[in-house]
Every structure is written in C-alpha cells, then in structure tokens.
Amino acid sequence: MKRIILALLSIVMVILSVSCTEPETQKSHTDSDISLNEQTVAQLGVYEPTENIRSDEDPPLNFEKQAGMWFTYMDYLDILRGKSEKEFTESVSERFENAKEMGINTLYVHVRAFNDSYYKSGIFPKGEYYDGDYDPLEIMVNTAHGLGLSVHAWLNPLRCQTDEQLKALDDSYLIKKWYNDKEKNGTYIVKTGDYWYLNPAYSEVLSYISDGIREIAENYSVDGFHIDDYFYPTTGETFDAAAFSQSAGSDLSSWRTENISRMVKTIYDTVKAENPDMLFGISPQGNMDSNYTDQYADVKAWASQSGYCDYIVPQIYFGFENESCPFEKTADSWQSLNICEEVKLVIGICTYKIGNEDKWAGSGIDEWKEKSDIVSRQAEYCAQNGLGIAVYSYDSTFSDTIKDERTKLSETIKSNYGGEQQ
C-alpha cells in the first residue's frame, strides 16, 4: 500500500513539474544541497520532517569499504521514550550527523531487541521505549538517506520478552498464542534465565522470523539487515530436548549448529527474495571457539561459503595485549576464513573499554587504561589489510570522556574509508 501511494504521488509530482516549470536537466542530490536545506530550516526555526531522497525504485545504498556503527535500543530510553516526533527527529539527526562527520557510512540501527519493534509492525508489539504514534524507523531511514548514509536494520531474531511482558501482551500476537499454548510453551519458545527465546529447531519459528524480515523490507527503504551474536542462549540440554528427541540427529551440538545455519540461511534467502541488492550481515563473537562451544554458530561456513551472508563482523573487542585473544592474532584468524569473494570481512571494534580495566584480558588487564590509541591503531590495521570496520557503539564513542581518542579514530576512518558505493 505504501509503495502504491508513493507511486501515485510521484505521478502527480511529475505532472505538476511539467505544467509549472521550464524543462531543465535533473540535478542529483549533493552534500551541498542537503546542508543548504538544513541551514535554511535552522535559520527559520521551523521543523520539517527529513525527506527520503531515495524512492522505492532506487537500489539500496551500500559502500565498497564499510565503516559501520551500532546504534543500540538502549539509546531509545533517552531519545524516544516520552519524546515528541520533533524531539526524536532532532536527536536522530544530531547522532547521524556526528557519525557521518566521523567518517561512518553505514548505520546498524536496532529495530528489534526482544521480539518487539521500533517501527510500525503488525507482527511484533512495540518496544519498551516506543510509546509514541510516529514511526521511529521511518524517521531514521529518511534522516540517514538524507545524509547519504546506509541503514541496516539490526535485530535479534531469537531473544524474546520476560514473563511479565509476555503476560501483558494482547492475545492477538503470535508469540502470545505460543506462550498460552501448552504444546508450544516450552518447545517453540523456551525460558532461559529471565527471558524467553525462540527455538530455531521448528520450521514455524523460522517462518515467524522470516515474516518479520519481509515486513520491514516491504515497508521501509532499508539497505540491509544485520544480526549479532544472540544465537542459542544456553548449552543446557533441556532447552530443546523435545525437538531433539523427535529429530533424526544423534549429536546435540551438530544438530544445534545445523539449526542455526538453517535460520541464518532463511534470513539471507528472505532478504534476497525481497531485493537481491540488499545486504545481510552477521556479527558473531570475536573469539572463534566460543561461537562453536557456546552458541553453535558455524562462522567458518558462513564466512567461506556463499548463501549465508554478504558480510561478517566478528566482535574483536580485545586489546593488542589481551592474553587469550590479542587483537592482531584474532583478526588474522578471521582473515584466514574469509576465502569467499561474496562475503566481506568487517572487523568490529569497541570504544566502551577505553579508560577502563579489561577484566578478562589476563596480563593485558590495564592496557585500555594506560594507552589511548588502541582503537585508532585497530582501525589503521583494518584499513591496511583492506578490511571494513564497525564501531560499537555510538553512545560510548561520543562520550565526553574520550574526546581525544575519538578524534584519533575519526582521522583514521576518514583517511581510509571513502564513499565509493557498491
């Protein structure tokens, strides 16, 4: 329906432009055009919604050299909850402009963290911090595209709500129906700790996940989709005992690994069916072994074979002196896997450790406290090796306490990651 309305509006605009103006060569949107418009709005003190400079027919915007940044749902507590559309738009504009000024070209914006939605959805309930009538994702997409930035919808496909939250949901939601169903409760959805998780062993669950992907792809001009390291939440055998007993599997670990790979491929296939030019990326743990022993994520297959993802972003949140996973050695091990030309390797680095003790780093426990150039050196390493880079997260990166480190990181990113599109 949205696309039909946009198409009709486009026809009207064409008719008006022909009848009211002299023919002239069509101008492309440039940075100067955008900044001029922003300046005019600022001078007048008038609020205007950011217009999406791309139409539904335009191809997704992605970059040959990806410089990404994560924008987490936790930030919505301050900028979305209880805020007007104008206030939210202004906050988003400020954050996205800061990211662009830093050299970032790709935004991973959190759209689903707990089987919820930070957009208009007919499948998932609103996120905890989404209490307005306007559409946060539409604003984020339009704002990002107005700045020439790529937007990837970041979601956690398996993690769901707490008991209290599920009980409060309307019975019309599918997740609530499964919660109330004696056969589905404990099989399709399983509680681990305080939260419930979807069980990827069931085809109905995978359909539920793919329906959510499709809903976003059909209604928003996102440039890609992105998931991180929330796969199996536990290694306990009781989590999916019923499904495993009914399967033909003989080894629980291998069976779970196959389930996760099937889920990943389902997401990939769904994205590509909607638009082959949209990207799908995965951000697993940086420690290679932990992906297999803790979460049953076959990252070696995903990185070296086509059909699972377009890019992979291991979270290498380790210093150079980390005793068990030193940055360069860990990054090198990931590069050795990235043998498929269709899968790009993007290295995830973090800024939240700057100035803090790195508790699990062994002899490198004080590295982040003693050295202020770790992230800029990591970014330089990525650039020299022809790798993409992604920074976690906006909130920690733009903390007032790390201004000098942020400047160094920004200089490295801007000098190495250009705006060449795919």
Side-chain angles (χ1 to χ4, degrees), residues 130-174:
Y130 177 18
D131 55 2
D133 294 327
Y134 53 91
D135 192 326
L137 182 55
E138 183 176 40
I139 291 171
M140 290 190 285
V141 169
N142 291 346
T143 302
H145 288 166
L147 293 169
L149 300 174
S150 177
V151 182
H152 291 195
W154 167 24
L155 53 94
N156 304 113
L158 297 179
R159 186 173 60 177
C160 299
Q161 297 94 327
T162 64
D163 266 313
E164 181 180 5
Q165 291 170 326
L166 286 171
K167 290 176 181 178
L169 290 183
D170 188 275
D171 289 342
S172 62
Y173 288 109
L174 181 58

Side-chain angles (χ1 to χ4, degrees), residues 28 45 56 84 88 90 94 113 122 130 144 148 151-152 194 213 221 267 284 303 340 348 354 359 370 385 416:
S28 62
D56 284 359
S84 68
F88 178 71
E90 290 174 345
E94 178 185 6
Y130 177 18
V151 182
H152 291 195
D194 293 331
I213 297 288
S221 297
I267 296 175
C340 178
I354 295 175
K359 184 177 180 181
E370 297 172 349
N385 285 272
N416 290 287

Side-chain angles (χ1 to χ4, degrees), residues 42-101:
Q43 289 173 343
L44 294 175
V46 177
Y47 164 69
E48 290 184 358
T50 303
E51 293 185 0
N52 189 349
I53 65 173
R54 291 174 52 216
S55 71
D56 284 359
E57 287 72 32
D58 288 332
L61 170 65
N62 285 298
F63 294 86
E64 196 64 36
K65 292 183 178 179
Q66 188 178 132
M69 177 170 280
W70 281 277
F71 287 76
T72 78
Y73 79 94
M74 293 175 283
D75 198 29
Y76 297 148
L77 174 61
D78 294 327
I79 69 172
L80 178 61
R81 189 174 191 177
K83 298 297 190 294
S84 68
E85 181 176 358
K86 177 182 177 182
E87 290 172 323
F88 178 71
T89 303
E90 290 174 345
S91 295
V92 167
S93 296
E94 178 185 6
R95 282 158 171 74
F96 289 3
E97 287 167 5
N98 286 341
K100 180 175 181 177
E101 176 61 27

Side-chain angles (χ1 to χ4, degrees), residues 9 15 39 43 49 87 142 260 278-279 281 300 305 311 316 360:
L9 287 174
I15 295 172
Q39 183 181 30
Q43 289 173 343
E87 290 172 323
N142 291 346
I260 293 297
M278 280 196 300
L279 300 184
K300 295 178 181 178
Q305 300 176 28
Y311 67 92
I316 308 183
W360 308 109

